[in-house]
Amino acid sequence: MAVCFQFQSPLKPITFPSIRNQKKVEPVFTSVKSFAPATVANLGPGFDFLGAAVDGLGDYVSLSIDSSVSPGHVMISEISGSSKLSPNPLFNCAGIAAIATMKMLNIRSYGLSLKLEKGLPLGSGLGSSAASAAAAAVAVNELFGAKLGVDQLVLAGLESEAKVSGYHADNIAPAVMGGFVLIKSYDPLELKPLIFPQNRDLFFILVSPEFEAPTKKMRAALPAEVGMPHHVWNCSQAGALVASVLEGDVVALGKALSSDKIVEPKRAPLIPGMEAVKKAAIKAGGFGCTISGAGPTAVAVIDSEEKGKEIGQKMVEAFLEEGHLRSVAMVKRLDRVGARLIDSVPI
């Protein structure tokens, strides 16, 4: 027996809640700078409904009131860290999210100038597009007095994700909110933060090879139908994954994120050396390993930073030996804050 899935959501166009019935929204700063973290999506069996934010990696957006920009519009004045991104705000993750946030706030009297600093490589599996979108949405919101809640900011970022890599919130939700986030529903959008205990240590071992895995290409590799046994298995492991997060059980978390029988088996062969990297991570003492998002980054989990560095080195060696790819390993904590304001200039 097979269960049919449509992996590209056919949802109706996003409609934005606005505050247009309230008094006119005015800026409280002349300029702001925001940061949004990298994210690890899917976490094995949590495909499209579970993600986590990663500390110490991400994108920055600087935003300012600019009288030379037409009211109600955004101009991207500078992009650093990548030469591949379009400066047209209608085709740029940060621009799309900024415009969506302006619509929510009903901003029509001010033009904005935006600078994007990419700290994440494109097509890395670390939520690069979501980080740009989250930083932009938060920047616009903060510039005008932080009138919007996190759910609305996620919706603004989701408008960007839908146009760039598909209608999925497992990157943009944790990028905005921080921590682990469960997407309970897409229509309507319902988000559930999963609180990992403060007194427990969790480290992500992120190993990124010199290989690009575009999300759209990796989604195209997914099966149209899933056998009932694999469906039941993945559901049970997704439940175990959520339970392990809430309990702070890193060993169980690793076991669950290593258990996907639907998505990872289709994507891993498309990333040279990935299967060997997973084996190397677990053999070296990692509690579990899978593909981060659509890849090509591999993510393993452990409860010790020093041990994480050792595991990361073994994963790097496996990528080189089996996949003939050079890679870089990082050991990072969970980001519990999400996108935030880091600098501002008052009016």
Side-chain angles (χ1 to χ4, degrees):
M1 181 176 181
V3 180
C4 294
F5 291 94
Q6 186 167 8
F7 285 104
Q8 184 64 42
S9 175
L11 296 181
K12 58 190 177 184
I14 302 170
T15 55
F16 298 115
S18 75
I19 58 173
R20 62 171 54 93
N21 293 327
Q22 300 180 16
K23 65 180 182 179
K24 181 180 177 182
V25 177
E26 296 287 345
V28 297
F29 301 109
T30 58
S31 66
V32 296
K33 186 173 184 178
S34 62
F35 169 81
T39 46
V40 173
N42 299 340
L43 295 166
F47 177 76
D48 270 9
F49 64 83
L50 188 62
V54 177
D55 184 51
L57 298 170
D59 289 358
Y60 296 86
V61 163
S62 298
L63 194 71
S64 60
I65 303 292
D66 190 335
S67 60
S68 69
V69 179
S70 299
H73 290 74
V74 175
M75 176 186 72
I76 298 179
S77 59
E78 183 181 333
I79 300 174
S80 61
S82 174
S83 60
K84 296 182 179 181
L85 296 177
S86 172
N88 185 332
L90 299 178
F91 300 100
N92 181 287
C93 301
I96 296 168
I99 292 168
T101 309
M102 291 178 74
K103 288 181 179 178
M104 288 183 179
L105 292 167
N106 198 29
I107 304 301
R108 298 179 181 178
S109 302
Y110 299 93
L112 305 179
S113 178
L114 184 153
K115 295 181 181 180
L116 173 62
E117 299 174 47
K118 289 296 298 178
L120 296 173
L122 308 182
S124 61
L126 293 172
S128 177
S129 60
S132 296
V138 166
V140 174
N141 190 42
E142 292 290 342
L143 191 71
F144 289 94
K147 306 291 185 182
L148 302 177
V150 292
D151 284 12
Q152 292 168 299
L153 295 175
V154 170
L155 270 176
L158 193 51
E159 170 80 353
S160 174
E161 290 287 82
K163 291 181 178 178
V164 174
S165 60
Y167 194 97
H168 57 94
D170 48 347
N171 287 114
I172 189 64
V176 170
M177 301 167 67
F180 288 89
V181 181
L182 170 70
I183 293 86
K184 293 172 61 179
S185 167
Y186 276 96
D187 190 12
L189 184 67
E190 294 182 29
L191 307 171
K192 176 67 176 178
L194 303 177
I195 309 302
F196 188 85
Q198 289 278 358
N199 62 344
R200 300 294 177 89
D201 287 326
L202 168 63
F203 294 92
F204 296 105
I205 307 159
L206 304 166
V207 181
S208 300
E210 293 180 352
F211 182 82
E212 194 166 318
T215 301
K216 287 186 178 180
K217 176 183 176 181
M218 299 303 280
R219 290 181 84 84
L222 301 179
E225 294 185 347
V226 175
M228 183 60 76
H230 284 175
H231 168 64
V232 173
W233 170 262
N234 262 44
C235 286
S236 70
Q237 295 309 300
L241 186 61
V242 170
S244 67
V245 170
L246 297 175
E247 294 170 356
D249 188 339
V250 186
V251 174
L253 193 161
K255 184 176 180 180
L257 71 79
S258 293
S259 66
D260 175 31
K261 290 186 177 181
I262 296 174
V263 177
E264 184 185 312
K266 296 296 182 181
R267 286 178 165 175
L270 303 179
I271 304 170
M274 179 59 73
E275 291 159 323
V277 169
K278 179 173 182 174
K279 291 178 182 178
I282 294 172
K283 183 178 179 181
F287 296 151
C289 181
T290 189
I291 302 170
S292 177
T297 295
V299 56
V301 292
I302 197 66
D303 58 1
S304 163
E305 185 172 13
E306 287 305 311
K307 184 63 175 177
K309 292 177 181 178
E310 296 175 12
I311 296 168
Q313 182 56 40
K314 295 297 183 182
M315 294 168 71
V316 167
E317 292 172 4
F319 258 131
L320 186 60
E321 292 172 8
E322 301 295 330
H324 307 293
L325 295 174
R326 290 183 296 179
S327 59
V328 176
M330 301 170 285
V331 181
K332 300 292 183 180
R333 290 183 180 272
L334 177 71
D335 181 302
R336 298 175 182 268
V337 180
R340 60 265 201 184
L341 181 70
I342 60 173
D343 196 12
S344 60
V345 177
I347 296 237

